[in-house]
Amino acid sequence: MSWSARLDRVEPFRVMSLLEVAQGREAAGHDVIHLEVGEPDFATPEAVVAAGQRALAAGQTRYTPAAGLPALREAIAGHYAERFGAEVDPARILVTPGASGALLLASQLLVQRGDRVLMADPTYPCNRHFMALAEAELDTVAVGPASGWQLDAELVARHWRDTTRLAMLATPSNPTGHMLDADQLAAVAAAVEARGGALLVDEIYQGLTYGVEPVSAAAAAPEAFVVNSFSKYFGMTGWRLGWLLAPEAAVEPLTRLAQNVFLAASTPAQHAALAAFTPTCLDELESRRRELERRRDALLAGLARLDLAPSLPPQGAFYVWLDISRYSRDSQAFCQQLLEEESVAITPGIDFAVRGGEHHVRIAFTTSVARLEEALSRLERFLGRL
């Protein structure tokens, strides 16, 4: 039996195979330091867990409307108003099974076979793959320090074609952790609008910023489609809950898609997420953000001692995108060898970059400072043998 040809355009997410190997080493008794997956060592906030338990005990397990609980959509809209000064109609918000559900809806709505999509290279691989599954053609634009590791307005203008229909941004980005500010977001939105296209913004790591205030396209580019998630800032990875903010005209077709693709997001998870916006929970989340900043600073200081620190430190998310070209041009082999010899798990850059991934790796500062310091010691020992 043959499979659909569209699967040929979807590459494996190599970090998951590396995670499996790392877990196997742990089971065999090795002390593995996990810096490979995008999941900090924080549990879901207790207020959120308790709200989910109350929902289950109260029998809140039936379907919600396809676009989500009205109360949760209102809470998300309130968050945009309070945090970003953006007045958002709750009717423009669709709650989805993870940010992946939002990306699926957006890709199916916005592009079709033959349409071209602009996005930065490197980027989160699923962003590419969702567009490929919609049979769009990708124009991945190489970015670097000169553009702040982002797809800016000048790059959009330079790479736009007659058949380009969509530009996609990620801010803060995975894997680089870099951001666009409000003026840059507005400039990209204006460049896209002038060419009759649509703008999709991945804000999954929004809120996790260091030394700069978080911004949202909801305020800077009001006509953009915005994807967000309860996984990263809110610490709800396994609850699989996200949302899509869309222009008013897109709500009906997106709701129609949601009704047919996944019916509705998890009901207990939606009730639990209501607690994420309470003052007590937000205080806890801010404390966690400050801890991540402390981890980032410790990792950057250690990398500087090894003369490996990036020229532009990450402004958000919880990753460092690291150039290892002086040691290797095979990031997959580099990561495998580091895991085998020193039990430190990091991610090969080929997962994220079409160009340059072979000499980059991603390090997630998702564990304690003490564990990061130990990982740096092991990395130094490993590099000394290369």
Side-chain angles (χ1 to χ4, degrees), residues 22-34:
Q23 290 171 336
R25 287 185 62 79
E26 276 186 314
H30 296 275
D31 175 30
V32 176
I33 302 177
H34 289 279

Side-chain angles (χ1 to χ4, degrees), residues 101-127:
L103 286 166
L104 175 62
L105 293 183
S107 64
Q108 294 301 308
L109 178 77
L110 294 172
V111 296
Q112 58 191 349
R113 179 180 295 178
D115 288 346
R116 306 199 75 86
V117 177
L118 285 180
M119 64 178 66
D121 181 24
T123 193
Y124 181 56
C126 293
N127 291 344

Side-chain angles (χ1 to χ4, degrees), residues 256-282:
R256 195 173 354 127
L257 280 169
Q259 290 167 345
N260 285 277
V261 173
F262 48 71
L263 197 62
S266 161
T267 299
Q270 292 188 66
H271 283 279
L274 285 167
F277 299 107
T278 59
T280 299
C281 190
L282 289 172

Side-chain angles (χ1 to χ4, degrees), residues 38 173-177 205 232 314 316-321 362-365:
S173 70
N174 177 9
T176 73
Y205 293 91
K232 306 303 182 180
F318 32 68
Y319 308 114
V320 172
W321 182 242
R362 189 194 73 176
I363 301 178
F365 45 93

Side-chain angles (χ1 to χ4, degrees), residues 140-212:
T140 54
V141 179
V143 297
S147 65
W149 291 99
Q150 285 286 351
L151 184 64
D152 59 19
E154 188 276 329
L155 289 171
V156 167
R158 189 193 313 170
H159 292 276
W160 198 273
R161 306 191 196 190
D162 289 343
T163 54
T164 304
R165 296 290 176 264
L166 178 68
M168 184 172 184
L169 307 175
T171 177
S173 70
N174 177 9
T176 73
H178 291 89
M179 297 172 55
L180 292 164
D181 63 27
D183 290 341
Q184 291 169 323
L185 275 169
V188 173
V192 171
E193 183 179 0
R195 289 160 177 80
L199 177 62
L200 177 61
V201 185
D202 167 356
E203 294 185 348
I204 292 168
Y205 293 91
Q206 184 191 62
L208 292 175
T209 61
Y210 316 112
V212 294

Side-chain angles (χ1 to χ4, degrees), residues 101 130 151 184 273-274 283 288 301 303 317 327 383:
F130 273 115
L151 184 64
Q184 291 169 323
L274 285 167
D283 286 346
R288 293 179 176 193
L303 291 172
Y327 295 104
L383 295 176

